[in-house]
Amino acid sequence: DIKVEEGILYRVGDIVVEGATLFDPSVLKARVTLKPDDIASLAQIENSAQAIRDYYGDRGYIRTEVRYFLDRDPAAQTVRITFRIREGKLAFIRKIEIRGNSITKDKVIRREIIVNPGEVYSEPKVRTSERRLRNLGYFEYVMASPENTPEPDKFDLVFDVEQGKTGQFMTGIGFSSVDALLGFVELQMGDFDLFGWPYFRGGGQKLNLRAQVGTRRSDYTISFVEPWFLDRRLSLGVDLFRQEARNYSAYYDQDNMGGAVSLTWPLGVYDRLTLRYGLEEIDIFNVPTNAPAHILEDEGVHTKSELTLQVTHDSRDNAFVPTRGNRSS
């Protein structure tokens, strides 16, 4: 049994911003998502305090503190919200250091960081850089922090990372009424380096090798992605495959072989544009003379050529375990 004693439903009364000297209080008040007579949601109050903090942090005033105080009026069922600000000092980035990257190359990490030495220390941009590094999937831990320097208004931005598992090897065997006996082996490397002899790790590329062999079908695929082609924010993808199927029909077997090349450009923070060209050879063979006419007509080798244009929006906070955002294309 869980006993609940319900409290009063409070609505927002006055909203006050105190302690602001660097910016107009009305500008900061506009960052508050709540309005008078709204339900006094504690989550929205906390989000509003963070929004005010981000307004300072985006302009280089790091270590700004924003606390909120609630003055309730039970009779009117309203609450007066006061945001009290302790303003930080304007800070600049002196240099950026990476610590803990034992496998991943330094440039692979730095190209995901969207702040630069000499700029104001933008806390929202630093958090975005942290998120981008986590979404690479190379690190178990990512944390950015400012470190004091002899110059009081300049800080060293330090990214501490802990290298995680960047690849996996899988194998398996199974049976189904469609494919009969089937076995597969697959190798995935998420921090691959095509020219990194002899370990081929740390270059930020992605490689996937898969072979699936059975009594009724055989599939072989190779996929390679270079996310920073020519050291630009331009992703190059190459796919090669061969699929031989003997389970589509009693009248024919089919062998598909081909590949595709794709280029992906970023469009802002959350959107990207992909242009993909694929070329495929389809062979219809082992056709008996008593097969239906339309199958007899299709016997032989055919070529399929296709060009695809795709726009993708991805605002997820984490590519592996997302808690907010969406992905659509």
Side-chain angles (χ1 to χ4, degrees):
D1 292 334
I2 300 175
K3 296 181 180 180
V4 178
E5 183 178 339
E6 294 182 331
I8 299 172
L9 175 61
Y10 283 94
R11 294 188 175 273
V12 177
D14 292 334
I15 300 174
V16 180
V17 175
E18 297 179 350
T21 61
L22 297 170
F23 304 106
D24 189 335
S26 63
V27 174
L28 301 175
K29 193 174 178 179
R31 310 293 293 178
V32 179
T33 57
L34 291 164
K35 300 293 184 289
D37 204 39
D38 286 349
I39 293 176
S41 162
L42 185 60
Q44 289 196 52
I45 294 173
E46 292 174 345
N47 290 339
S48 297
Q50 183 63 49
I52 296 174
R53 202 176 294 117
D54 285 346
Y55 189 87
Y56 278 87
D58 195 34
R59 287 153 181 79
Y61 294 92
I62 68 172
R63 296 173 178 170
T64 295
E65 297 178 6
V66 180
R67 302 175 65 188
Y68 60 86
F69 298 87
L70 308 178
D71 185 11
R72 293 173 296 214
D73 184 350
Q77 296 186 5
T78 60
V79 59
R80 184 176 190 263
I81 307 172
T82 302
F83 294 96
R84 292 181 185 168
I85 303 171
R86 184 174 177 271
E87 296 176 325
K89 294 182 179 180
L90 182 62
F92 296 86
I93 299 173
R94 190 180 72 163
K95 64 179 180 179
I96 299 174
E97 293 186 12
I98 313 295
R99 296 175 182 169
N101 53 321
S102 57
I103 296 175
T104 305
K105 291 181 179 179
D106 187 78
K107 76 169 188 177
V108 174
I109 299 176
R110 289 186 183 274
R111 67 194 185 190
E112 300 296 333
I113 298 173
I114 61 173
V115 292
N116 298 291
E119 296 179 350
V120 295
Y121 193 111
S122 171
E123 290 177 322
K125 288 184 178 180
V126 171
R127 287 201 303 272
T128 299
S129 300
E130 280 183 318
R131 184 169 64 249
R132 287 168 61 118
L133 290 176
R134 291 191 189 100
N135 285 343
L136 289 175
Y138 308 157
F139 309 109
E140 296 284 350
Y141 172 85
V142 179
M143 180 61 69
S145 58
E147 285 191 354
N148 294 329
T149 70
E151 302 173 81
D153 64 336
K154 294 183 180 180
F155 294 81
D156 289 340
L157 174 58
V158 178
F159 286 87
D160 287 300
V161 300
E162 181 180 333
Q163 208 80 47
K165 298 177 181 178
T166 58
Q168 59 181 346
F169 177 79
M170 296 177 289
T171 184
I173 190 170
F175 179 84
S176 76
S177 60
V178 176
D179 296 323
L181 190 63
L182 193 68
F184 80 93
V185 60
E186 183 172 6
L187 174 66
Q188 294 179 354
M189 296 186 68
D191 195 5
F192 182 69
D193 187 354
L194 184 62
F195 304 105
W197 172 267
Y199 301 109
F200 300 102
R201 295 191 300 171
Q205 301 162 351
K206 293 178 173 59
L207 178 70
N208 183 277
L209 305 175
R210 181 181 175 90
Q212 184 171 273
V213 181
T215 55
R216 295 181 180 174
R217 66 176 298 141
S218 301
D219 299 332
Y220 306 94
T221 59
I222 301 175
S223 296
F224 173 80
V225 176
E226 168 55 82
W228 284 73
F229 184 53
L230 302 177
D231 286 327
R232 299 174 180 270
R233 290 208 67 195
L234 176 65
S235 176
L236 170 69
V238 179
D239 299 288
L240 300 172
F241 67 90
R242 180 172 184 176
Q243 302 170 342
E244 184 177 342
R246 297 174 292 280
N247 59 357
Y248 287 154
S249 170
Y251 291 108
Y252 69 91
D253 293 336
Q254 182 170 321
D255 188 5
N256 293 37
M257 182 171 59
V261 177
S262 63
L263 289 173
T264 301
W265 294 266
L267 303 174
V269 179
Y270 300 116
D271 303 302
R272 60 184 185 272
L273 177 71
T274 300
L275 182 65
R276 182 179 186 273
Y277 175 71
L279 185 63
E280 183 176 357
E281 182 183 87
I282 304 168
D283 186 10
I284 307 297
F285 62 101
N286 283 345
V287 180
T289 56
N290 63 340
H294 67 277
I295 295 180
L296 289 170
E297 292 174 0
D298 283 340
E299 184 180 10
V301 178
H302 308 267
T303 300
K304 176 183 176 182
S305 176
E306 63 178 357
L307 189 66
T308 306
L309 187 67
Q310 177 173 290
V311 177
T312 304
H313 173 85
D314 191 350
S315 60
R316 296 173 297 172
D317 59 335
N318 189 297
F320 305 99
V321 188
T323 61
R324 64 176 63 89
N326 73 84
R327 185 183 188 280
S328 53
S329 62

